Amino acid sequence: MTFAVQLLTIFPDFFTSPLSTSLMGKAIERGIFEVDAFDIREFATDKHRTTDDVPYGGGAGMVMKCEPTVAALEAAAAARPGLTRIYMTPQGEPFTQKIAQELAAGPGMVLLCGRYEGVDYRVREGWIDREICVGDFVLTGGEPAALVVLNAVTRLLPGVLGNAASIDEESFSSGMLEYPHYTRPREFRGREVPEVLLSGHHARIDAWRLEQSLLRTQAVRPDLLERAAEEE
Ligand code: JA8
């Protein structure tokens, strides 16, 4: 079964180029997954096609209105029922490789992208299954966050990547950062490839790589090691 992705946005053009290039474009061409964009503005019924309004209670910014947003969600559900409905927001659960794996199990996902101060809270309560945050920073809208989720999930679908081995050896699947990688030449502008990698001694190479992973993880992401220890 084809994995289905529905994008709900007031800027559908945002996704055109990323979806047509490279691995994702090829996977769509080959029918591994399909992407449908729903322009939320087209579901606004007033003459100005209004999608946002001032917040009740006052304050800065605008809030995306219930009616067009829910109409777009309902049109998406009519076209493809049963998909996981996801709202991109800094208030969501942190996106991880584990969540990417859960979503890749199918059948697909609806990615709702907000702008301004986000969507009316009633949309989140009534029409959303999961709220996801791609990092502790603020974007101008949910679109770049949706691209991150789309990319991380679809690369896990069978047939998107060349070989399965390259999927689970990576950072976050092992719970540690990757060791350094090198290719030819042996020396570049005075910088040498570590001798052990030229030795052909596979046990020593594995031990070196494990040590490098540990050192880098300790230095940059000690939280990953603490999490691994807790899970033991
Ligand atoms: C934002 Br506006 C807006 C909407 C969604 C997201 S997800 C994130 N990190 N920032 C900003």
Side-chain angles (χ1 to χ4, degrees):
M1 256 286 266
T2 303
F3 188 89
V5 180
Q6 296 176 323
L7 301 165
L8 273 59
T9 172
I10 58 170
F11 295 113
D13 290 348
F14 186 92
F15 298 93
T16 313
S17 170
L19 288 175
S20 60
T21 52
S22 168
L23 235 46
M24 292 178 97
K26 285 200 191 79
I28 293 169
E29 264 174 43
R30 290 162 57 201
I32 296 171
F33 68 98
E34 57 182 40
V35 180
D36 249 326
F38 293 75
D39 183 349
I40 296 170
R41 191 170 297 282
E42 289 184 4
F43 294 89
T45 52
D46 64 308
K47 74 170 179 196
H48 294 112
R49 301 251 145 147
T50 312
T51 57
D52 59 328
D53 204 344
V54 295
Y56 274 119
M62 298 291 272
V63 178
M64 283 179 67
K65 292 171 67 58
C66 288
E67 301 95 318
T69 308
V70 168
L73 281 162
E74 285 174 344
R80 205 53 210 267
L83 306 182
T84 306
R85 299 164 300 178
I86 299 167
Y87 176 54
M88 309 312 309
T89 170
Q91 290 112 44
E93 59 177 323
F95 188 53
T96 59
Q97 192 63 27
K98 179 164 168 269
I99 295 174
Q101 281 159 0
E102 287 169 23
L103 294 171
M109 54 196 183
V110 182
L111 300 173
L112 172 60
C113 306
R115 285 268 154 175
Y116 322 110
E117 302 307 310
V119 300
D120 188 299
Y121 194 72
R122 291 167 292 187
V123 175
R124 298 164 62 174
E125 289 178 318
W127 288 268
I128 290 296
D129 301 309
R130 197 155 190 177
E131 300 193 334
I132 291 179
C133 169
V134 298
D136 292 339
F137 42 77
V138 182
L139 303 167
T140 56
E143 287 80 5
L147 262 186
V148 167
V149 171
L150 175 55
N151 188 283
V153 171
T154 56
R155 71 181 279 286
L156 298 176
L157 300 174
V160 173
L161 290 192
N163 61 344
S166 63
I167 290 186
D168 41 57
E169 262 189 43
E170 291 157 58
S171 303
F172 303 112
S173 292
S174 72
M176 284 204 287
L177 302 187
E178 282 251 280
Y179 49 79
H181 300 270
Y182 299 88
T183 187
R184 289 177 286 185
R186 285 180 62 152
E187 188 239 283
F188 178 72
R189 300 192 185 178
R191 295 167 189 271
E192 306 246 359
V193 172
E195 193 64 37
V196 61
L197 298 178
L198 312 172
S199 69
H201 196 305
H202 294 295
R204 280 181 51 213
I205 291 169
D206 287 348
W208 180 85
R209 286 177 167 170
L210 179 62
E211 182 189 34
Q212 289 296 315
S213 280
L214 250 170
L215 288 172
R216 302 175 75 80
T217 309
Q218 271 164 350
V220 180
R221 293 296 306 278
D223 59 301
L224 292 179
L225 294 174
E226 283 151 28
R227 201 180 305 169
E230 281 162 20
E231 281 166 12
E232 267 172 25

